[in-house]
Amino acid sequence: MTTAPERTADLYPTRGATEVITPRQDPVVWSQPGTEGPFTPAELNDFERDGFFAIGELLTADEVAVYRAELDRLVNDPAMRADDRSIVEPRSQEIRSVFEVHKISEVFAKLVADPRVVGRARQILGSDVYVHQSRINVKPGFGASGFYWHSDFETWHAEDGLPNMRTVSVSIALTENHDTNGGLMIMPGSHRHFLGCAGETPRDNYKKSLQMQDAGTPSDEALTKLADAHGIKLFTGKPGSATWFDCNCMHGSGDNITPYPRSNVFIVFNSVENTAVEPFAAPVRRPEYIGARDFTPVK
């Protein structure tokens, strides 16, 4: 376990009296050109330009079956339901997310350390990496609620104390991502500017925000400008497909009112050279199962 360093300069002010737009101060791809890894140079160029890159088949069908079975085991475990790391859907009272799955489950721990996964994270971030957050998301049919538009980095900076944009996420589909069942939407190129949101962070904001986002939510006017400038990309794909996206992409997802569930594994890798300090715009840190303080590199 490594303790967090002291606060550093705040490059990305947020949660003040008004919204503030700050040009990105950090690279998107941190590794040197020619660095070996699963991504080709052209794919890294696409990631740098758009802020994301989708892979049609990261996992095989047999591998997906293993992870689906483990997801089902966890969400149907009464002990897991009572665990603080499980988030319950407000309307249906079904499990919506389970956090820190790489520590709860040996199966998901192996996925995190898979070279196809962690190798891409190292290639983008240009260093060893640790898991800032991991979770399984379950979006059952017939009314599972979505996540409103947001930048993950805005929250991780404000509430977890990540100083720089040196963090990348991967969402790996364990069910079919249709264009109708509440899939991930991203505004391509939105990662180039940071939108600092208005409004103070309530104490223990995470207890509410993990079910419905409030603090750290952009205004309708700002979202309209971003959508007009960048457009919106909706991701579809077979089980086993994956989307890598930069921490500052403006993204969200809609409700799932279809009969078809949408479940995924979500892993956030942070550079070991970008470890969390004290929160930049929150009175207290979030729990470690949401924003890790164990900076041990993935091996």
Side-chain angles (χ1 to χ4, degrees):
M1 179 76 70
T2 306
T3 58
E6 297 299 319
R7 276 281 302 271
T8 60
D10 187 355
L11 299 178
Y12 301 103
T14 189
R15 311 281 174 102
T18 59
E19 284 184 322
V20 179
I21 296 178
T22 304
R24 187 185 183 108
Q25 306 294 303
D26 296 304
V28 178
V29 176
W30 289 74
S31 62
Q32 295 298 314
T35 300
E36 293 187 1
F39 280 123
T40 68
E43 290 170 343
L44 281 178
N45 287 339
D46 289 349
F47 181 89
E48 184 167 22
R49 180 193 65 217
D50 297 330
F52 59 80
F53 189 82
I55 298 170
E57 186 180 329
L58 181 70
L59 303 180
T60 66
D62 288 344
E63 290 172 319
V64 169
V66 171
Y67 296 119
R68 275 287 302 278
E70 182 69 352
L71 180 148
D72 291 341
R73 182 186 73 80
L74 290 173
V75 300
N76 290 302
D77 181 352
M80 199 67 252
R81 183 182 180 83
D83 195 296
D84 286 344
R85 291 171 289 187
S86 294
I87 309 301
V88 176
E89 184 74 33
R91 284 178 288 189
S92 69
Q93 292 299 299
E94 295 180 350
I95 287 181
R96 173 191 183 118
S97 300
V98 178
F99 281 81
E100 214 171 44
V101 289
H102 70 294
K103 292 190 175 181
I104 294 172
S105 163
E106 291 184 5
V107 173
F108 286 117
K110 290 178 181 178
L111 177 62
V112 166
D114 189 308
R116 295 169 296 178
V117 177
V118 71
R120 285 182 165 87
R122 294 189 188 112
Q123 198 176 4
I124 290 169
L125 301 180
S127 69
D128 280 335
V129 297
Y130 71 94
V131 177
H132 176 69
Q133 184 186 105
S134 72
R135 66 180 188 259
I136 49 174
N137 292 324
V138 183
K139 201 178 230 185
F142 301 116
S145 55
F147 287 94
Y148 199 67
W149 290 104
H150 64 285
S151 154
D152 285 332
F153 180 75
E154 193 279 336
T155 298
W156 299 337
H157 182 69
E159 300 185 39
D160 297 338
L162 295 191
N164 296 96
M165 294 180 182
R166 198 170 181 180
T167 315
V168 67
S169 302
V170 60
S171 176
I172 304 172
L174 299 182
T175 54
E176 181 90 14
N177 280 333
H178 301 284
D179 59 3
T180 52
N181 65 342
L184 174 67
M185 296 181 288
I186 296 179
M187 297 184 187
S190 58
H191 61 306
R192 292 291 185 180
H193 288 83
F194 175 74
L195 180 62
C197 297
E200 293 185 357
T201 309
R203 191 177 185 88
D204 292 338
N205 178 57
Y206 74 94
K207 292 180 180 179
K208 180 180 179 182
S209 67
L210 294 177
Q211 293 182 329
M212 185 172 293
Q213 188 84 358
D214 188 10
T217 302
S219 69
D220 291 351
E221 293 78 12
L223 288 170
T224 300
K225 289 179 181 178
L226 284 170
D228 286 346
H230 301 291
I232 297 172
K233 166 71 174 177
L234 170 65
F235 292 89
T236 59
K238 300 287 186 182
S241 61
T243 303
W244 289 86
F245 60 103
D246 179 82
C247 59
N248 191 46
C249 284
M250 190 61 66
H251 67 288
S253 64
D255 295 352
N256 182 14
I257 61 172
T258 74
Y260 310 112
R262 176 180 172 264
S263 299
N264 69 301
V265 186
F266 183 75
I267 307 164
V268 180
F269 293 101
N270 189 38
S271 168
V272 296
E273 299 172 10
N274 187 46
T275 52
V277 296
E278 291 304 313
F280 285 88
V284 294
R285 302 174 181 177
R286 297 195 298 175
E288 293 193 23
Y289 63 82
I290 300 174
R293 297 278 160 170
D294 180 351
F295 311 132
T296 305
V298 178
K299 296 299 185 183

